C-alpha cells in the first residue's frame, strides 16, 4: 500500500501540539523552501541546512545560497529561522555518482545524490540534537517523494536522528511555492543544479518542442 506522507506529517504535527520541536530542514533552494518554511515554521524552530555540493558551477551555487539567506531574512515567520551553510565540495557529488553519469534525470544518479545530501543532514541533525530532520526536495513534482522518504529514513536511522516524513507538493504546496517566489522576487533556476541536469535541460531546449529557432 502506497504511503501517504502528508498524513504521516500531519500525525506528527498533532502529536507534538503544545510543544515547539527543533527541525533541521535540508534545503535545495530558496523557491522550494519558501512554502515549506511558511508551513512548518508554525510548528517547529527551524534551522535551514544548505548542503548541496551537486550544484554547478560555483557561481550558481553562490547565487542560490545567497537567495536562501535573503528569503529567511525577509520572510515573516512565527518562530525565528536560522541558516546553516554546509561545505561546498563538488568532488563529493562526482564521487557519489561515479558510474551513473549517463543515467537519465530522476533515476539512480538522483538517488545517489539524495543519499549524499540527506546523509549529511541526518549526521548534522543527530550531532546537533535536533528533534527532527527532513528536506524541502519533496515539494518538487519532478522529485520522487517515495525515494526521498525511504532514503531519508535510512540515513536518519543510521545516525539516530528522527526523520520527518513529507510530500510538500500536496495541498497545492508547489503552486504556493511559485506564488511566494514571485512575491519575494526569488531567482528560479531552470535546472536541478548538477552538470547532468543542466545538460539534459540544454538538450531539451535544442531538440524538444521549445527548442530555440534560428
Amino acid at each position: 500500500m502506497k504511503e501517504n506522507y502528508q498524513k504521516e506529517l500531519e500525525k506528527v504535527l498533532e502529536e507534538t501540539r503544545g510543544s515547539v520541536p527543533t527541525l533541521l530542514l535540508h534545503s535545495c533552494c530558496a523557491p522550494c523552501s519558501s512554502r515549506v518554511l511558511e508551513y512548518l515554521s508554525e510548528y517547529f524552530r527551524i534551522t535551514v541546512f544548505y548542503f548541496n555540493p551537486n550544484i554547478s558551477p560555483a557561481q550558481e551555487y553562490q547565487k542560490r545560497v545567497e537567495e536562501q539567506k535573503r528569503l529567511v531574512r525577509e520572510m515573516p515567520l512565527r518562530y525565528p529561522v536560522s541558516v546553516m551553510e554546509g561545505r561546498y565540495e563538488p568532488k563529493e557529488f562526482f564521487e557519489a555518482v561515479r558510474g551513473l553519469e549517463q543515467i537519465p534525470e530522476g533515476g539512480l544518479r538522483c538517488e545517489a545524490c539524495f543519499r549524499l545530501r540527506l546523509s549529511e543532514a541526518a549526521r548534522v541533525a543527530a550531532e546537533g540534537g535536533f528533534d527532527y530532520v527532513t528536506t524541502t526536495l519533496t515539494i518538487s513534482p519532478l522529485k520522487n517523494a517515495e525515494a526521498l522518504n525511504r532514503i531519508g529514513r535510512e540515513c536518519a536511522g543510521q545516525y539516530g536522528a528522527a526523520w520527518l516524513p513529507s510530500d510538500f507538493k500536496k495541498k497545492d504546496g508547489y503552486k504556493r511555492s511559485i506564488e511566494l517566489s514571485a512575491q519575494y522576487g526569488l531567482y528560479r533556476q531552470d535546472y536541478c543544479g548538477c552538470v547532468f541536469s543542466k545538460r539534459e535541460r540544454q538538450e531539451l531546449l535544442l531538440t524538444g518542442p521549445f527548442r530555440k529557432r534560428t
Side-chain angles (χ1 to χ4, degrees), residues 56-209:
S56 182
Q59 296 93 324
E60 178 74 14
Y61 170 87
Q62 199 58 43
K63 189 172 185 177
R64 295 191 193 192
V65 75
E66 290 305 322
E67 279 292 83
Q68 179 69 77
K69 293 174 181 177
R70 179 174 72 85
L71 176 66
V72 169
R73 287 196 305 268
E74 297 180 3
M75 198 172 187
L77 301 165
R78 182 175 183 181
Y79 297 106
V81 174
S82 61
V83 178
M84 180 190 303
E85 184 179 356
R87 62 187 179 277
Y88 178 60
E89 297 180 8
K91 65 180 181 180
E92 292 186 63
F93 166 71
F94 290 111
E95 289 172 359
V97 302
R98 183 175 295 152
L100 303 171
E101 293 87 349
Q102 301 305 316
I103 300 294
E105 191 75 2
L108 292 178
R109 186 183 67 239
C110 290
E111 290 198 13
C113 181
F114 296 160
R115 188 172 297 278
L116 169 66
R117 291 186 281 172
L118 297 185
S119 178
E120 179 65 4
R123 184 190 68 79
V124 171
E127 292 184 358
F130 288 84
D131 296 308
Y132 293 94
V133 59
T134 195
T135 180
T136 63
L137 283 163
T138 63
I139 201 167
S140 171
L142 301 178
K143 298 292 186 294
N144 186 323
E146 186 281 326
L148 283 162
N149 280 282
R150 170 174 48 81
I151 293 170
R153 282 172 173 160
E154 290 172 2
C155 293
Q158 178 183 354
Y159 289 101
W163 177 255
L164 185 70
S166 75
D167 192 354
F168 293 121
K169 69 179 71 66
K170 298 293 186 181
K171 295 191 171 182
D172 289 328
Y174 180 67
K175 178 182 177 182
R176 179 59 179 158
S177 74
I178 294 175
E179 294 171 350
L180 288 168
S181 294
Q183 179 180 335
Y184 289 94
L186 297 177
Y187 165 61
R188 290 181 62 84
Q189 59 284 349
D190 63 359
Y191 67 103
C192 178
C194 72
V195 293
F196 309 110
S197 62
K198 186 174 184 178
R199 179 187 65 198
E200 288 194 18
R201 173 63 177 169
Q202 291 172 335
E203 289 174 352
L204 179 63
L205 289 173
L206 290 172
T207 63

Side-chain angles (χ1 to χ4, degrees), residues 16-49:
T16 57
R17 186 182 297 275
S19 64
V20 188
T22 55
L23 171 67
L24 187 75
L25 176 65
H26 168 263
S27 174
C28 55
C29 63
C32 285
S33 73
S34 60
R35 167 54 188 163
V36 180
L37 287 170
E38 180 185 61
Y39 179 26
L40 293 186
S41 67
E42 291 293 313
Y43 307 93
F44 298 94
R45 295 189 186 276
I46 299 173
T47 295
V48 173
F49 181 52

